């Protein structure tokens, strides 16, 4: 990652879809968000409020009908390996080994020759050492989530879009990978947008928690989490933050 400041700005985003009966379904409306270099922002809100839609817009996989979305002052119009997406269901290539899954983006972008050393580096960083030659069906869900993160990280992204990447995991594995994500943040300082339905996860990882309303999704609260790392999940301050977010999610 280069030393330049990175900045993501979403202004008055509108994204609607046609539902099956032909009526307009408003996924996001008047959605505003600004994220600075190195910030970890958690997005939390009820199912169907447009969280994944927003990440897809930031990834450049989709376009809004209204509003503006800019990264470093440039409108986002298409995907870019600089903005890496980690999906809820780790989308690994079943016919490729772990090593080749991690190398895939480098090859697809024609930079494998120069950067192949990064493959082993990311495998080691994500605790996958020794599983280089394994296939996706031979590894656990927790390891698949790690591979999915390594696949994105190998591209040295400035923005990481994490769409509930840990939601299918048991609590212990989730806690271990949360610490690995914090390690990545400390080392590479990317912008991270993390969609999660786990309030504890949001407070543990994020610098800021953005609470969305039920559809049409719009920002109803923005809660800074100014606790030093490593955070103690059972400290009074931590629990107070959880309550603050839970209160914001009551939609009264
Ligand atoms: N491609 C699409 N076509 C039609 N409706 C969609 C599409 N993508 C999302 N939606 C709808 O938009 C709303 C928001 O979806 P989504 O962003 O996936 O919600 P969340 O991730 O917050 O659960 C949902 O009602 C969903 O059904
Ligand atoms: Mg979603």
């Amino acid at each position: 990652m280069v030393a330049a400041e990175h900045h993501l700005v979403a202004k008055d985003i509108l994204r609607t879809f046609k539902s099956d009966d032909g009526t307009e379904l408003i996924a996001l409306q008047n959605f505003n968000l600004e994220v600075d270099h190195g910030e970890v922002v958690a997005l939390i809100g009820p199912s169907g409020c447009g969280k994944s839609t927003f990440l897809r817009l930031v990834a450049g996989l989709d376009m809004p009908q209204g509003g503006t979305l800019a990264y470093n002052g440039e409108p986002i119009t298409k995907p870019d390996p600089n903005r890496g997406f980690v999906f809820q269901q780790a989308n690994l290539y079943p016919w490729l080994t772990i090593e080749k899954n991690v190398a895939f983006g480098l090859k697809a972008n024609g930079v494998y020759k120069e950067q192949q050393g990064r493959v082993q580096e990311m495998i080691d960083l994500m605790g996958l050492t020794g599983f280089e030659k394994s296939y996706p069906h031979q590894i656990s869900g927790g390891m698949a989530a790690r591979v999915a993160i390594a696949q994105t990280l190998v591209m040295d992204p400035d923005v990481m879009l994490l769409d509930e990447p840990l939601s299918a995991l048991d609590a212990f594995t989730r806690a271990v990978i949360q610490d690995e994500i914090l390690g990545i943040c400390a080392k590479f300082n990317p912008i991270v947008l993390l969609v999660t339905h786990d309030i504890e996860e949001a407070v543990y990882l994020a610098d800021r928690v953005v609470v969305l309303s039920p559809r049409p999704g719009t920002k109803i609260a923005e809660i800074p989490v100014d606790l030093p790392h490593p955070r103690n999940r059972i400290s009074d301050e931590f629990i107070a933050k959880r309550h603050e977010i839970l209160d914001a999610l009551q939609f009264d």
Side-chain angles (χ1 to χ4, degrees):
M1 256 154 263
V2 290
E5 291 291 290
H6 300 290
H7 194 58
L8 178 73
V9 183
K11 220 170 163 320
D12 295 328
I13 298 297
L14 174 70
R15 182 66 176 105
T16 65
F17 295 103
K18 277 257 183 297
S19 63
D20 291 339
D21 60 6
T23 55
E24 285 269 91
L25 181 152
I26 308 171
L28 287 166
Q29 191 170 34
N30 296 325
F31 185 72
N32 293 285
L33 185 65
E34 285 198 37
V35 189
D36 268 323
H37 183 67
E39 262 193 301
V40 179
V41 173
L43 302 175
I44 206 159
S47 176
C49 75
K51 305 180 295 295
S52 296
T53 298
F54 182 66
L55 289 202
R56 291 174 54 79
L57 294 172
V58 175
L61 297 167
D62 185 24
M63 294 286 281
Q65 281 97 347
T68 55
L69 193 58
Y71 179 59
N72 295 340
E74 299 283 327
I76 294 174
T77 55
K78 58 176 173 21
D80 186 318
N82 225 355
R83 299 187 307 273
F85 207 129
V86 181
F87 296 93
Q88 180 166 4
Q89 254 14 74
N91 278 322
L92 308 185
Y93 304 104
W95 60 89
L96 295 179
T97 61
I98 298 317
E99 190 175 59
K100 288 189 171 152
N101 264 283
V102 175
F104 191 87
L106 295 178
K107 289 181 179 165
N109 286 277
V111 293
Y112 180 70
K113 258 207 167 81
E114 310 86 85
Q115 298 189 28
Q116 55 181 303
R118 290 185 60 79
V119 174
Q120 191 64 48
E121 199 185 321
M122 295 311 136
I123 284 175
D124 295 342
L125 184 68
M126 292 310 297
L128 295 162
T129 317
F131 291 87
E132 290 83 353
K133 307 292 182 208
S134 300
Y135 284 86
H137 74 271
Q138 297 172 313
I139 62 174
S140 68
M143 295 181 76
R146 290 191 172 96
V147 177
I149 294 170
Q151 273 182 326
T152 300
L153 207 55
V154 79
M155 299 311 295
D156 195 14
D158 294 320
V159 180
M160 288 189 76
L161 306 167
L162 308 180
D163 196 354
E164 308 195 40
L166 312 184
S167 62
L169 306 178
D170 64 89
F172 178 74
T173 306
R174 202 181 313 145
V176 172
I177 301 181
Q178 284 168 353
D179 283 332
E180 286 162 352
I181 291 174
L182 285 177
I184 291 166
C185 294
K187 193 166 173 178
F188 301 105
N189 223 27
I191 282 179
V192 176
L193 292 185
L194 168 73
V195 170
T196 181
H197 57 244
D198 180 345
I199 298 176
E200 179 180 308
E201 178 167 282
V203 177
Y204 191 70
L205 294 179
D207 299 311
R208 193 152 40 106
V209 178
V210 169
V211 178
L212 283 86
S213 66
R215 196 176 57 234
T218 194
K219 187 170 66 190
I220 52 170
E222 220 170 316
I223 298 166
V225 185
D226 38 19
L227 308 174
H229 291 286
R231 292 176 179 164
N232 178 350
R233 297 178 201 258
I234 54 169
S235 69
D236 291 345
E237 301 87 338
F238 193 100
I239 291 164
K241 279 290 168 196
R242 289 182 59 169
H243 281 181
E244 203 179 325
I245 293 162
L246 200 53
D247 282 346
L249 279 164
Q250 300 303 314
F251 312 119
D252 41 21

